[in-house]
Amino acid sequence: MKCYVIPAPKGIESLTLVERPEPTPGPRQVLVRVKATSLNYRDLLTIEAQYARSAPKPDLIPLSDGAGEVVAVGPGVSRVKVGDRVAGCFMQRWFGGAISESAMPSAMGGAIDGMLTELAVLEEEGVVKLPAHLSYEEGATLPCAAVTAWNALVEIGHLKAGDTVQIQGTGGVSIFALQFAKMFGARVIGTSSSAAKAERLKQMGAEAVIDYKATPDWDQEALKLTNGRGADITVEVGGAGTLPRSFMATRLGGSIAVIGLLSGMATLDPMPILRRNLKVQGLYVGSTQMFEAMNRAIEANGLKPVIDKVFPFAEAPAAYRHLKSQKHFGKIVISHA
């Protein structure tokens, strides 16, 4: 089989196409012929040796997100069968419940090999069936960004109709958060410095989009837009550079799901958390059971992921470069067909 590896993370140019023997699934494992993968900001950090969680293993097969067809199953497998259309789960050993120490070392495309390959062996409980109306390319966008957004809004934020959700930017997590919020009948306020991207957010249902460069005090603008109340749930992808404003843009007793560190790290004043009774929760994607619940909602509502561009397998490095350019809106996909 052909696969891409990162011999040593020295930038996008270190992505190397190699051939390896075809793998065989063991007990309670499945072999998936990967049809499509998608990129996340984490993948760029990994290949540029900026990922804070841990150094990737040598000759890592990158990318956590992929979808394909089950072509073989190992002994004892009962959850899926040959021919099923599936997506791999970000963490191969977090089936349900609270995250555990044993789940952490099973994150694909980082701790273990990922999906930028023709064939992948996955755990039986580390795959979920794709919603019937989604293509492999659309299904490949779900494992990290979509599950993260679902966890932030539904599991942590207990999203309900009539809530206000604050999102930041137009990356994969934020776009899925907008789609899920609208699916639940919630109101969405976004931020973006791009007029074109802001208009697209509004076309997708965002009630208002604040230009955070033209309006640096965007938290005050968010309060005005909610009559001084603030958002019920804030999906925080910026980190230290945006968290202080997220504290003020979120209502008393509201929830902030801390997902990313796009704006860097710094020392933060915890006083707003105390004074505003905020629930500030970090999260690291989600479990297989969350993925399955999300897929049921996606299928019931006919939700379609937003794909910016699809690259062929042979042009995987170009997909990385497009991600780095930050010109995309929604997900960047690699087709393995």
Side-chain angles (χ1 to χ4, degrees), residues 215-254:
T215 310
D217 296 334
W218 58 264
D219 53 327
Q220 297 304 310
E221 184 63 22
L223 287 175
K224 290 179 185 176
L225 291 167
T226 55
N227 296 317
R229 183 172 184 268
D232 297 280
I233 308 167
T234 294
V235 181
E236 169 58 59
V237 300
T242 50
L243 256 172
R245 297 203 182 278
S246 290
F247 291 157
M248 304 311 297
T250 307
R251 70 165 172 83
L252 291 172

Side-chain angles (χ1 to χ4, degrees), residues 156-171:
I156 292 172
H158 305 292
L159 179 66
K160 61 186 182 301
D163 282 349
T164 298
V165 174
Q166 174 81 52
I167 64 170
Q168 298 169 346
T170 56

Side-chain angles (χ1 to χ4, degrees), residues 10 13 52 64 132 167 171 176 191 194 213 218 228 288 306 311 319 324 327:
K10 298 178 180 178
E13 66 277 3
S64 59
I167 64 170
F176 275 117
T191 65
S194 164
K213 287 188 176 178
W218 58 264
T288 300
V306 177
F311 291 82
K324 189 171 183 176
K327 295 178 180 178

Side-chain angles (χ1 to χ4, degrees), residues 102-242:
S102 62
M104 295 292 280
S106 71
M108 290 203 298
I112 65 173
D113 283 335
M115 298 290 281
L116 195 53
T117 177
E118 291 181 327
L119 292 165
V121 171
L122 305 176
E123 302 296 324
E124 176 189 19
E125 293 185 340
V127 297
V128 299
K129 295 178 183 178
L130 291 180
H133 70 289
L134 296 186
S135 67
Y136 284 117
E137 288 77 15
E138 291 165 335
T141 69
L142 302 177
C144 181
V147 176
T148 297
W150 180 269
N151 191 356
L153 295 183
V154 180
E155 303 288 336
I156 292 172
H158 305 292
L159 179 66
K160 61 186 182 301
D163 282 349
T164 298
V165 174
Q166 174 81 52
I167 64 170
Q168 298 169 346
T170 56
V173 173
S174 297
I175 296 296
F176 275 117
L178 168 59
Q179 291 181 291
F180 292 149
K182 299 306 296 181
M183 190 171 73
F184 275 77
R187 176 190 187 199
V188 178
I189 298 172
T191 65
S192 177
S193 63
S194 164
K197 290 181 178 181
E199 184 58 35
R200 289 194 65 182
L201 289 176
K202 291 177 183 176
Q203 290 173 1
M204 291 181 63
E207 183 173 293
V209 181
I210 306 164
D211 184 333
Y212 60 84
K213 287 188 176 178
T215 310
D217 296 334
W218 58 264
D219 53 327
Q220 297 304 310
E221 184 63 22
L223 287 175
K224 290 179 185 176
L225 291 167
T226 55
N227 296 317
R229 183 172 184 268
D232 297 280
I233 308 167
T234 294
V235 181
E236 169 58 59
V237 300
T242 50

